[in-house]
Amino acid sequence: MISEEHRIAITGNQAIAHAVRMARIHVVAAYPITPQTSVVEEIAEFCAAGKMDAKFIQTESEHSSMSACIGASMTGARAFTATSSQGLALMHEMLHWAVGARTPVILGEVNRALAAPWTILTDQSDSMAQRDTGWMQFYCANNQEVFDSTLLAFKVAEQVLLPAMVVLDAFVLSHSTEAVILPPQDLVDEYLPPRETPVKLDPDEPHAFGGMMFPDVFMEQRYKIEQSMDIAKEVILSEIEEWEKATGRQLKPLYPYRIDDAEVVVMCLGTAFGSVRYAVDKLRKEGIKAGGIRMWQYRPFPIKQLKELIPEGSQVGVIDRAVSFGISGPVGSEVKSVLSPESRNSVYGFIAGLGGREIQPESVESVFRAMLEGSADPVGINWVDVRK
Amino acid sequence: MAIHKEIFSDEALRHVREGSAKPPGQLSADEIPPMAASWANTEKMPVGGWKENRPRYLRGLSPCLAHCPVGNDVEGFVSTVREGDVESAARLLAAETPLPATCGRVCYHPCESGCNRVQLDGSVGIRAIERYLGDLPYFDSANIWSQARPATGKNIAIAGSGPGGLASAWALSLLGHKVEIFERKPEPGGLLLYGIPAYRLPKDILSKEIGRIKDMGVRINCGVNVGEAKELSKLLESYDSVFVATGAAKSRDINIKGDNNKAVYSAIEYLSEATSGNIPETGRECIIIGGGNSAVDAARSAKRSGANVTIVYRRTRAEMPAYETEIDDALKEGIQLEELAIPLELIVENGSLTGMKCLKTKLGEPDDSGRRSPIPVPGSDFVIPASSMINALGEIIDKEELTKNSDFQNALSELNHWGSSNIQGLFAGGDFVGGDRTVAHAIGGGKRAAMAIDRFLLGKSANPLESYIVGGGPASLAGYLKNGESDVLAEGIKTIQYKDLNPAYFPNVEREELAKVLDQKPDNSFREVESGYTPEEAKAEANRCFSCGRCTNCGLCQIFCPEGAAVHRDPQSKELMIFDSHCKGCGICVEECPRCALVMEPVNKESDVVKTETQ
Amino acid sequence: MIIREPNKATVNILGKDHSGPSGGHLACQGCGGALSLRMALKAIGNRCIFVIPACCMAVIDGPFPVSSLGVPLMHIAFGATAPTATGIKAGLTTQGDNETLVVAWAGDGATFDIGLGAVSAAADRNDDYLYVCYDNEAYMNTGIQQSGATPKAAWTTTTPNKKPKTSIKKDIISIMAAHRIPYIATASPSHPDDFLRKFQKAKEIKGFRFLHVFAPCPPGQRFEEKNTVKVARNAVESRVFPLLEIENGEKLTLTDIPDPIPIKEYLELQNRFAHFKNEDIEAFEKNIEKRWQELSEWNRKQT
């Protein structure tokens, strides 16, 4: 046990593994896929070395990994898995099940583009494809945030009975080493007490879970998921506060950058935000009132915070690293729908950085300029850095 | 971490733990749990309404019961042996018969002919099981019976102490009446003593059986011939009722030349003397005429006294009325059988019998008895050596010996099924009334007459006598004593046939045969040929019983009901019922029941509907 | 000598009043699956947790808020039975409960087809729970479509008589035996003593246990409801469904060696075989006989 805070150099994947260890996880079930593998390798190593008192199960598929996690979670245990891309897609059926069964499973999701054709590099098409499942999603931009988000995810998930994905970009975070501060175990224990499950799989109080439900109550059941998402928004804020009190580090649903007087704003999720900041700085030097927002909390969608942050009348460009083919980028259309009722902003959807293509500061700058020049399509998809 | 209260309210948690009075469709989102967790079992689901047919436990009748002329609860005592409770089995047996050790030895066991197991691998050895029980110490005294009624003060005279008279005396005693028997012979027992050789029915066994009846208070006056010493009509004046069971004791004449020779005997005479210990002289070559049981009994007795014995019969072995096993045993003991021959005359030289001239026959068309009639073959006469001849052509009833009163003679010729005559108080039974002349029929007749006499004497009874008839066959005394409250007397009870059973549960099991020591040497030994079952053998044989039509609590219906709807009426009860609200009417219980103790009935039939009950 | 009336100990357990799943469940009349489940639950008792995937039993147990089983039950997606059970067991043991028996109860579709890879993986890991496949030889819940367990040429809605199934029933027992798991057994509700003994034995064994239960389906296999047990019994008696157990994937014991009844007596009860001509019956018989010979040889080698 680590009793004192210390700072170590670890990859994003290792940061997840350490957080899972410190969460006193009961069951980890996973199946290897690049670039997720080192998460489970690290956990298997911790278990083998006796640094974790958990059961590590290597399954034969991600579908089974998620099934095992749901099963474990139904007994009141804390359960975790990690995956990427195809693996997440294969889990899809069980992602829905985890939500419907109200099992607060935590999933380390290393963003990787979906085949075909094969690629192992990053984009957000895998996790965005699961945005309607009812999972909470937190997109990280550095390894410390990965660590902190994972512990927070457990704590929020267990209160609102919804599973959560901690999302990080393939290689950029997963395999890049950064300094990460690990708090003492007793701090984590205090922050994240054992899970309380009044109703679970228990021979002393037998219930059937997930049996057939007729229309007279199915919709109320679905309404309760949405209600829980709403409540999660508040719980996340209070847990951010708790975590800040304990560690001095603050997570934010939305990370603004030079936004206060911005007339043109670019939004994105994940590590590409570095390029956004660079481009903002460059345009500011030119006298253009540019700003940026990084979205950490994607589900539940931080509607209130977004409305508060976006300056009135500014143009907003949303860079998606995923496409909902035939219409737009997913985040872009959601931001549009959030801001449109008051019609105070023009929102444009941009697609960039698919399949590991770098989103360079110049890419972001072109996004700003398209809005400033009025050349951006306000309805359709605006492709960035694509040879048409 | 604890779950947020707005997501899983206390009320929703209470519903999950304790259930909800309202259906989920009437609850608000706040009142239902976030996960679909059940909070009730399925017991109130109305699945019982799916069915078109419903099963019902219904006792069927084992054919052995209907086939037993005595009226024994055959299946009852056999299955009770199977269950290992021999005392209860003995009591069940004792409830319907006073002579189990006797019937267990000499009965021709029609129960076994009726046994459904015949169609699988041979009937259950019912007679041997009855013998096993009858020999148990429970039958050492009359304590096996308890007085069913207080003394009525009625007196009954019985003529004859054969099986009919004894059975009637026993039944009447149980019913509280005082009984006095008049027996012509010096010892009681009638045919049982004087007609059945001791190698089949040892004297000590018979005397124990009769002793028990005496112990009940029945007086037996031996050496009193009702016809001579006490005229029947006079007897009726001194007693409340008279039961005549004097049997068929007169031999049919043979009417051939030489039949007056001193070495010519009737079978009745011969067997009677042999029983008394004075075996008549037969010489080396003894001829028996006839094919019935008394012919075989006489033949085997003569064989035991040292003679070479030949049975002369006018048909073939197949037509012989004697019991198959008796014929088998006789032949095994070295007795010759001269088939298809009729006696013409006895050859007497110097007053001594030397031979018998016979004529060959051939078989023609069936006669009234269904057997092919023998037709003499002209010119086929032949002589067989003979030093003695026993006439076993059969016995006839002699009413004239009993009474000279023609009214009484007529009355005794026109008896109903219950042995009632048209003279008040006069009843008759046993071989005397004709019909099947067997020990079992005599006992059955005695019991029936006792019931009829009881009704005559007491005048009132809720039920007609016919309601005590089991399956169209015998009458049940136990049922009579319980005023008909016996499930084998249920109206319309169906006799179970082999096709009604589920043979899957009855693999072939070889029948336990009784060990026999057949006499091979002439040593005048009348020791018993058969030995009885050991307790293990009795149980093994009882285990072969199907218990046709009677629920044995084998548990299959309970195991196989997919709904769990076959349950005992209450935890203490052995009686099963169908929980109607859960039964969907699949019929597995009925189909699988090994012994047809359930029936399927249309749902719209209102009989015996088990209304919805709370489990 | 086989007395097929169950012994008293069996009756006391399997025939016990008001035990096992509650009545009022939604199984069709004469359901062999519901019957098997009832018998199994009585055999193993209440200290257990069931996992049931998409199958008839998911419906039979009853809609929210009712449940017939009387023990904890987790419904799960079709191919997810085995890993869910794995996860439940892991969840229990890591929280200190080493006693509760986890039972995966899945149909032939979930076992032979959609969940086979997952079953294999759980067997390979020797996960500590009891997996029961109740086999009615087709996708009955969805309306009688062929599965890997459907016998060759049997009628289903996706193998109409004009285009019959060409492969024989998948040999799931050999597949499982190849995993060298501690215990495999077949069981038929028609043989209660054998059924009870195997469930009780399986309950006590540690590691992955696989029980294959023959569960006749009146509407799917097309026979009269009352004949469910008879169909099961005839399957055993005709050697179509041999009763056996295999320990450690090696030691095979035939637990019932019937003097075989003609296969026709099994086939003719069921209308899914009604189109069989003599040559079809012979071909069917040949496969059954071949399999029996293999099993007998295996059995002989071990004893």
Side-chain angles (χ1 to χ4, degrees), chain B residues 303-306 333 518-525 527:
Chain B
K303 180 74 185 172
R304 279 163 171 72
S305 70
E333 287 176 344
L518 298 176
D519 258 18
Q520 299 294 349
K521 52 184 191 300
D523 59 358
N524 278 346
S525 160
R527 69 168 176 268

Side-chain angles (χ1 to χ4, degrees), chain B residues 128-364:
Chain B
I129 294 170
E130 182 177 9
R131 171 182 166 158
Y132 162 74
L133 289 172
D135 286 351
L136 291 174
Y138 307 113
F139 284 100
D140 282 354
S141 79
N143 292 338
I144 187 86
W145 297 296
S146 44
Q147 190 72 38
R149 278 210 208 121
T152 59
K154 303 287 183 186
N155 293 295
I156 296 128
I158 293 176
S161 68
L166 290 171
S168 182
W170 160 78
L172 289 163
S173 282
L174 279 181
L175 291 164
H177 307 303
K178 190 144 182 57
V179 181
E180 201 161 354
I181 298 180
F182 299 98
E183 168 57 50
R184 180 175 58 207
K185 293 270 193 180
E187 299 281 336
L191 173 98
L192 299 176
L193 180 64
Y194 294 103
I196 297 176
Y199 65 84
R200 283 174 63 201
L201 177 58
K203 285 183 183 178
D204 58 331
I205 299 289
L206 179 60
S207 94
K208 192 170 104 179
E209 305 243 273
I210 296 172
R212 253 189 340 249
I213 296 169
K214 283 182 181 167
D215 290 347
M216 295 173 80
V218 173
R219 227 178 115 194
I220 305 181
N221 306 293
C222 288
V224 182
N225 190 328
V226 168
E228 290 170 7
K230 285 185 181 289
E231 166 60 36
L232 196 56
S233 51
K234 296 274 182 290
L235 205 59
L236 195 53
E237 289 167 13
S238 335
Y239 290 86
D240 295 302
S241 184
V242 172
F243 176 58
V244 177
T246 49
K250 193 177 174 192
S251 204
R252 190 177 307 226
D253 291 338
I254 184 162
N255 290 326
I256 56 171
K257 191 180 163 196
D259 66 2
N260 56 353
N261 190 276
K262 66 180 186 332
V264 173
Y265 309 99
S266 73
I268 292 178
E269 180 185 8
Y270 179 82
L271 288 169
S272 168
E273 291 295 309
T275 304
S276 312
N278 318 307
I279 300 180
E281 184 58 46
T282 55
R284 275 194 61 78
E285 303 292 340
C286 180
I287 306 283
I288 318 285
I289 311 294
N293 280 318
S294 53
V296 178
D297 285 345
R300 293 180 69 187
S301 296
K303 180 74 185 172
R304 279 163 171 72
S305 70
N308 292 326
V309 181
T310 303
I311 295 173
V312 175
Y313 182 53
R314 57 190 179 146
R315 295 180 170 103
T316 69
R317 184 188 155 163
E319 288 82 26
M320 283 173 74
Y323 305 145
E324 188 72 21
T325 54
E326 289 294 311
I327 300 169
D328 275 346
D329 291 349
L331 296 179
K332 281 182 198 152
E333 287 176 344
I335 287 159
Q336 305 294 311
L337 175 60
E338 189 71 46
E339 294 176 312
L340 297 169
I342 45 173
L344 281 181
E345 63 178 271
L346 291 163
I347 301 164
V348 180
E349 288 172 17
N350 302 324
S352 299
L353 205 55
T354 60
M356 185 170 78
K357 189 194 270 184
C358 301
L359 194 62
K360 287 304 282 184
T361 63
K362 60 178 184 186
L363 293 182

